[in-house]
Amino acid sequence: MKKLGLILSIFSVLTLVSCGIYSFTGASTGDAKSFQVNNFQNTSDLIEPGIERTFKLNLQDLIQNQTNLTLTNNNADLIFEGEIIDYYISPMTATAQNTAAQNRLTIAVQVRYYNTLEPEKDFDRRFSFYYDYDARTQLVGGELNTAIEEIYNRITQDIFNAALTDW
């Protein structure tokens, strides 16, 4: 009985130690301890008020929830900045009466990522995603919030993967 208890104890310790090394998100922050997300200015032709702040907060939340990095306002090891460069709606499918049956909202963000500890990992890239919706629907209120949330979830995850994983 003592041997079984000893074996279970060793197995439990090894399991806990090995889980500390593994990251469920695949994030690799290296020696970085902190990150900052600077303001993302909205430079698109069509301006939707507040989407730049929402984007910044979504990116901060994702990084905080999936890493052990500390959010700071300056002198961070990892720095994210850029602009919202596109925000536009385009028709996707037509009806028999030559009107739009479905529209697509597309948002694109230009991101500059700086890793002050490993500068070879820096990048300046464009990330974009879209949301399709019924053309009879006005893209306001809850529908707009849903669209922006879905788009930002995808874009921020793509940025996270590009910066902090080897995908």
Side-chain angles (χ1 to χ4, degrees), residues 36 57 67 80 107 112 125 162:
Q36 76 186 56
L57 294 175
T67 69
F80 297 84
I107 299 177
R112 290 177 297 283
R125 287 181 41 190

Side-chain angles (χ1 to χ4, degrees), residues 100-143:
Q102 190 174 43
N103 287 335
R104 173 173 286 179
L105 170 64
T106 302
I107 299 177
V109 181
Q110 188 71 33
V111 177
R112 290 177 297 283
Y113 167 71
Y114 304 102
N115 183 327
T116 61
L117 304 175
E118 299 177 72
E120 66 276 2
K121 293 186 176 181
D122 294 358
F123 64 76
D124 185 350
R125 287 181 41 190
R126 181 182 188 273
F127 296 87
S128 68
F129 200 64
Y130 59 88
Y131 177 81
D132 293 336
Y133 63 98
D134 190 308
R136 295 171 294 181
T137 303
Q138 288 287 332
L139 198 56
V140 295
E143 185 73 20

Side-chain angles (χ1 to χ4, degrees), residues 46-138:
L46 183 60
I47 302 292
E48 179 63 40
I51 65 169
E52 61 280 354
R53 182 176 186 278
T54 302
F55 178 78
K56 177 182 176 176
L57 294 175
N58 284 10
L59 184 57
Q60 286 176 345
D61 289 347
L62 177 69
I63 295 169
Q64 282 186 305
N65 291 336
Q66 295 193 15
T67 69
N68 60 354
L69 296 171
T70 303
L71 176 63
T72 185
N73 291 327
N74 54 27
N75 300 322
D77 297 326
L78 309 177
I79 302 166
F80 297 84
E81 65 182 28
E83 299 83 33
I84 297 173
I85 56 174
D86 279 326
Y87 178 99
Y88 62 90
I89 297 170
S90 55
M92 292 307 300
T93 58
T95 65
Q97 293 79 28
N98 287 330
T99 59
Q102 190 174 43
N103 287 335
R104 173 173 286 179
L105 170 64
T106 302
I107 299 177
V109 181
Q110 188 71 33
V111 177
R112 290 177 297 283
Y113 167 71
Y114 304 102
N115 183 327
T116 61
L117 304 175
E118 299 177 72
E120 66 276 2
K121 293 186 176 181
D122 294 358
F123 64 76
D124 185 350
R125 287 181 41 190
R126 181 182 188 273
F127 296 87
S128 68
F129 200 64
Y130 59 88
Y131 177 81
D132 293 336
Y133 63 98
D134 190 308
R136 295 171 294 181
T137 303
Q138 288 287 332

